[in-house]
Amino acid sequence: MSAPPLLDVRDVSKVFTMGGVLSRKQIRAVNEVSFALSTETPEIFTIIGESGSGKTTLARMIFGSDVPTSGELKFEGRDIAARRGADRLAFMARVQPIFQNPFEAFNPLKRVDRYLASTARRFLNARTEAEMEGPMDEALHHVGLSLKEVKGRFPHELSGGQLQRTAIARALISQPSVIVADEPVSMVDASLRMAIVNLFKRLRDELGVTIIYITHDLATAYYISDRIIIMQKGHVVEMGPARPILEAPQHPYSQLLKRSVLSFDDAGRGLITRSGREEVDTSAEALVKGRLEPAEDGRLVRVG
Amino acid sequence: MADDILTVEGLKAYYQMNYFGVEREVRAVDDVTMRVMANEIYGIAGESSSGKTSFIKVLAAAIRPPFRIVDGRVTYRFNGKPIDVAHAGEDEIAKIRWKHLSYIMQGSMSVLNPVRRVRSTFEDFAFRPMGLKRDAFWEAVEAHLARLHLEPGVLRAYPHELSGGMRQRVTIALATVCRPEFIIADEPTTALDVVVQKDVLAMIREVQQALGSSVVFVTHDMSVHANVTDRLAIVYAGRIVEEAPTRTIFTAARHPYTRHLVASLPRIGDTSPKPSLEGRPPSLAEPPAGCRFHPRCPIAVERCRREVPVLEERPGGHRVACFRADEALPAEKILNVEEPLS
Ligand SMILES: Nc1ncnc2c1ncn2[C@@H]1O[C@H](COP(=O)(O)OP(=O)(O)OP(=O)(O)O)[C@@H](O)[C@H]1O
Ligand SMILES: Nc1ncnc2c1ncn2[C@@H]1O[C@H](COP(=O)(O)OP(=O)(O)OP(=O)(O)O)[C@@H](O)[C@H]1O
Ligand code: SF4
Ligand SMILES: [Mg+2]
Ligand SMILES: [Mg+2]
């Protein structure tokens, strides 16, 4: 029998209930999502989608911060939600998150180097300053920072990009096998963005780390991804090899996404127009009724 | 000029700290002079930690120690009445906030109270300035949310119940619902997918044109600048190094740093090596002498190490701070094309 997949996501759904007793409303944030990542071939698996389509919710279930309403998530063959105690800690060291908004992810009252140190203490069992600082400095160097630059500083004393890179460095400390990166480059300029996605490539190719890369940036997604899923309203609408899909998307929403990427052709003419989103059928009912069907290049496209 | 709604003159604003008896000064805004006219969108671009947020914190009169204004003036003219927010008192500033001047902060959570529903935040900030009856007020708020593709249901949510991009749109809605004359926005669309981003940018432009208001729009994303701004300033290490009508920046930039930025724009389907700048962004605590760009500039000469180039006015509303701005240099020389960081 072959080894179980590294990560197995099967028919996972998440329903939230919002509002008071009188105005209760159910939100289907994630709807029957399935995919598997293999142990043998580390990859960059990209999730792109509409704002509010369930990407962060799916990510939170993968690194174990939230449990699915239905369906299963397994890491190396074992249920993620069922892990407790030392077993859970070991899992957390191996599957590390990078949170969406660094301004929210950091405790504003805690110096950022203390935050990194607590990660080193927790996962590397580091006790002395020297034991902690070595891995911290190394992780910071991967993202173009150094311990000297961040030492003693509070989150608000760093720029948005510096804080985002510190968040990435924190995730590297425990030398994880999976990194779930929720919009890790949205806060940084184009040149740093390239440096960070190149770092992801290097982690994949040299250290065998699998990266789940959530992004709104189609250009870097094209540049580094092996596979991609495109989400809308909690549903996967297209899934498969990244480049063919981004070159010639088939689902109407994927096509709209590609069309909406801003161009430079009319720079400075102030001609920006609406996306025409209303013209694409985006009703939740249609999505629920549809199903994923195999199409060319081994991709799946939601039809019906 | 009569049309100026904001004039900034010789502005210097530093973080002045004292760590265990050692003075440390971060010169995040260093001698900035610029103006924003009525009815325009003025963009500010620059790499991470170049001082963009610091600069507009001063414009928004939202600074606190250890950040201090060391020199200069920041004068707004609302209804023809000048007010220098670099020196005005807190009560004078309170009078213009929200109604005349609104500020969308980077990261945006700070205005949303985590333990209160979004609805209460709208009530706190917008009800009085809008001066409408209750029903009309909520109708206006819901109509405004719809422009940002938000359902009225978000009003009932707590901030943590919304996705990152939904929260970002809620803060944009808060800052624009009172239809202020001057909007300062710091990376307001970084958390949005490209479809929603396009609609939000179009909305900002529509609101701005309908009211003839002014917007200062900060982002590192050059494609956003290309599509919404009328004029664009490029900031490097706390200084404006080039400023021009946006089209000029994309087609006829003169500063080597700007030309590098424009040349390295990412495009889908392109996996070719991008030009990259050598060296690291400068430290604002110990900025390089002379032209701050000189350690990374592929065409630097001896003079650049000693003298600070001034931001000189050229024809076509174009300002550039570079000693070699007039030389016709081959693009390869300026752009320094090499392998990306691996
Ligand atoms: N704790 C919660 N309680 C109630 N609803 C929630 C909660 N967390 C998320 N949601 C809802 O679930 C849906 C999906 O949210 P999620 O954060 O996963 O979206 P996303 O794809 O990450 O969006 P973005 O690109 O804007 O970050 C949204 O409608 C959101 O309002
Ligand atoms: N409260 C503070 N105390 C000390 N230094 C600070 C403080 N806030 C910012 N800085 C420093 O000032 C410099 C400029 O930061 P700023 O936030 O203005 O950059 P930015 O251009 O907005 O960058 P980004 O694109 O990453 O948001 C950085 O070196 C930053 O570390
Ligand atoms: S002044 Fe000198 S160093 Fe500065 S940008 Fe111009 S050529 Fe380069
Ligand atoms: Mg999200
Ligand atoms: Mg900033």
Side-chain angles (χ1 to χ4, degrees):
Chain A
M1 206 184 102
S2 64
L6 183 64
L7 179 74
D8 194 5
V9 176
R10 186 143 323 155
D11 298 326
V12 164
S13 299
K14 178 74 187 180
V15 180
F16 289 112
T17 308
M18 211 163 74
V21 217
L22 296 176
S23 55
R24 211 171 278 280
K25 194 181 160 204
Q26 295 223 313
I27 294 167
R28 303 192 61 86
V30 175
N31 270 283
E32 294 179 12
V33 171
S34 300
F35 63 88
L37 305 178
S38 90
T39 313
E40 295 83 46
T41 35
E43 64 176 317
I44 297 178
F45 186 85
T46 295
I47 306 178
I48 282 203
E50 208 175 24
S51 170
S53 63
K55 302 179 297 296
T56 297
T57 305
L58 181 58
R60 288 172 51 81
M61 293 189 285
I62 293 171
F63 57 72
S65 281
D66 216 334
V67 291
T69 309
S70 61
E72 274 186 337
L73 288 114
K74 288 184 173 166
F75 182 72
E76 294 178 335
R78 293 178 42 229
D79 197 359
I80 293 173
R83 290 169 187 255
R84 298 279 179 274
D87 186 29
R88 184 169 165 80
L89 191 65
F91 164 77
M92 288 168 74
R94 299 205 40 215
V95 181
Q96 275 284 305
I98 298 168
F99 296 103
Q100 180 163 1
N101 183 342
F103 287 95
E104 296 167 30
F106 284 86
N107 176 346
L109 302 176
K110 197 165 169 183
R111 295 180 201 270
V112 296
D113 55 316
R114 291 293 93 201
Y115 184 48
L116 297 180
S118 66
T119 303
R121 209 164 32 240
R122 188 164 181 213
F123 294 125
L124 301 181
N125 211 7
R127 287 290 164 263
T128 64
E129 283 292 305
E131 274 173 8
M132 284 184 259
E133 290 190 348
M136 283 160 65
D137 197 38
E138 194 186 323
L140 285 162
H141 270 108
H142 278 305
V143 295
L145 288 169
S146 67
L147 188 54
K148 188 168 152 259
E149 279 170 275
V150 304
K151 200 161 184 171
R153 299 176 83 173
F154 289 101
H156 73 267
E157 297 176 4
L158 296 173
S159 78
Q162 289 171 325
L163 205 54
Q164 184 63 279
R165 284 180 285 154
T166 309
I168 296 171
R170 195 208 56 81
L172 298 177
I173 288 177
S174 70
Q175 303 189 328
S177 30
V178 179
I179 290 179
V180 186
D182 197 354
E183 297 189 34
V185 297
S186 57
M187 207 83 81
V188 302
D189 59 78
S191 111
L192 263 178
R193 195 173 272 212
M194 283 314 285
I196 289 171
V197 297
N198 281 321
L199 166 68
F200 286 165
K201 262 177 123 166
R202 212 168 68 224
L203 290 171
R204 175 193 64 189
D205 299 340
E206 290 168 20
L207 303 175
V209 180
T210 285
I211 315 270
I212 297 179
Y213 175 53
I214 301 178
T215 189
H216 291 307
D217 179 23
L218 274 66
T220 54
Y222 183 91
Y223 178 66
I224 62 166
S225 316
D226 298 298
R227 284 192 294 160
I228 191 169
I229 60 180
I230 297 179
M231 292 183 70
Q232 186 192 17
K233 297 196 162 92
H235 296 268
V236 173
V237 296
E238 193 156 350
M239 167 172 179
R243 289 192 177 171
I245 288 184
L246 289 170
E247 275 160 16
Q250 285 182 6
H251 189 273
Y253 178 70
S254 321
Q255 292 171 342
L256 173 68
L257 258 184
K258 186 165 179 193
R259 264 205 310 281
S260 304
V261 172
L262 297 172
S263 92
F264 296 97
D265 301 341
D266 284 315
R269 297 199 203 275
L271 295 179
I272 190 156
T273 51
R274 300 237 165 200
S275 65
R277 176 182 190 258
E278 295 73 17
E279 288 144 39
V280 175
D281 181 16
T282 54
S283 78
E285 296 75 42
L287 287 167
V288 174
K289 275 192 270 144
R291 63 201 178 281
L292 282 171
E293 297 241 311
E296 63 193 55
D297 334 297
R299 72 175 87 173
L300 297 173
V301 182
R302 185 166 288 272
V303 293
Chain B
M1 226 180 91
D3 271 338
D4 289 0
I5 183 156
L6 167 68
T7 18
V8 176
E9 295 156 278
L11 181 69
K12 294 184 179 174
Y14 303 162
Y15 298 92
Q16 294 173 324
M17 291 148 301
N18 190 317
Y19 280 133
F20 313 109
V22 182
E23 297 288 337
R24 197 181 127 92
E25 193 170 68
V26 176
R27 289 185 247 161
V29 182
D30 216 0
D31 205 1
V32 169
T33 294
M34 51 81 85
R35 55 171 207 248
V36 178
M37 292 176 280
N39 197 13
E40 75 166 341
I41 302 188
Y42 183 93
I44 299 175
E47 66 187 343
S48 175
S49 70
S50 56
K52 303 182 296 296
T53 296
S54 304
F55 177 50
I56 64 168
K57 270 187 194 158
V58 181
L59 299 190
I63 69 169
R64 48 169 198 210
F67 196 32
R68 290 186 187 88
I69 293 170
V70 174
D71 202 5
R73 282 197 296 267
V74 178
T75 314
Y76 285 96
R77 272 184 199 79
F78 295 120
N79 309 323
K81 230 176 50 201
I83 168 171
D84 175 2
V85 297
H87 298 97
E90 198 36 61
D91 48 336
E92 274 179 276
I93 290 167
K95 277 188 213 141
I96 60 169
R97 205 164 261 146
W98 295 100
K99 190 154 174 59
H100 295 292
L101 181 67
S102 80
Y103 173 34
I104 306 170
M105 269 182 263
Q106 186 173 15
S108 74
M109 273 307 268
S110 1
V111 289
L112 295 178
N113 186 332
V115 297
R116 302 189 71 198
R117 293 183 200 272
V118 170
R119 189 182 182 85
S120 320
T121 309
F122 270 92
E123 208 161 319
D124 295 348
F125 288 110
F127 185 63
R128 269 160 164 282
M130 283 180 70
L132 293 174
K133 289 246 169 58
R134 211 150 272 277
D135 286 351
F137 170 72
W138 289 116
E139 211 171 285
V141 168
E142 288 184 11
H144 194 59
L145 289 172
R147 284 193 197 111
L148 293 151
H149 299 316
L150 290 170
E151 289 171 15
V154 300
L155 289 169
R156 279 184 284 141
Y158 289 99
H160 78 268
E161 294 176 323
L162 301 174
S163 80
M166 292 162 91
R167 280 201 292 272
Q168 194 168 42
R169 281 176 280 158
V170 166
T171 58
I172 297 174
L174 262 172
T176 48
V177 70
C178 301
R179 311 185 139 229
E181 289 157 74
F182 202 98
I183 300 167
I184 297 170
D186 195 355
E187 305 281 7
T189 61
T190 45
L192 303 179
D193 67 76
V194 289
V195 178
V196 172
Q197 168 172 275
K198 193 161 187 238
D199 289 339
V200 167
L201 294 175
M203 185 284 289
I204 290 177
R205 186 126 195 130
E206 282 158 26
V207 167
Q208 181 270 330
Q209 305 234 296
L211 304 176
S213 48
S214 309
V215 180
V216 171
F217 200 114
V218 168
T219 179
H220 62 264
D221 188 336
M222 293 297 281
S223 70
V224 171
H225 283 300
N227 284 279
V228 287
T229 61
D230 298 304
R231 287 197 300 143
L232 183 53
I234 308 295
V235 172
Y236 187 81
R239 295 209 170 117
I240 295 179
V241 295
E242 185 156 19
E243 180 198 68
T246 302
R247 184 134 193 100
T248 307
I249 294 281
F250 284 92
T251 56
R254 297 305 314 177
H255 196 282
Y257 178 63
T258 313
R259 296 182 68 162
H260 162 79
L261 273 185
V262 172
S264 56
L265 296 173
R267 289 184 163 80
I268 313 178
D270 181 3
T271 51
S272 65
K274 289 278 171 292
S276 76
L277 276 182
E278 269 176 66
R280 294 163 49 117
S283 153
L284 291 174
E286 292 150 84
C291 172
R292 290 185 173 180
F293 188 54
H294 88 251
R296 300 168 85 186
C297 180
I299 57 165
V301 291
E302 185 49 34
R303 184 181 180 197
C304 309
R305 278 176 256 281
R306 289 177 280 110
E307 279 174 60
V308 179
V310 292
L311 192 58
E312 252 175 292
E313 188 95 44
R314 310 161 63 86
H318 192 171
R319 295 194 294 162
V320 188
C322 170
F323 296 124
R324 305 190 68 184
D326 285 316
E327 294 173 42
L329 291 158
E332 315 84 76
K333 194 137 198 269
I334 295 180
L335 302 176
N336 198 26
V337 180
E338 48 160 75
E339 288 294 308
L341 282 110
S342 52

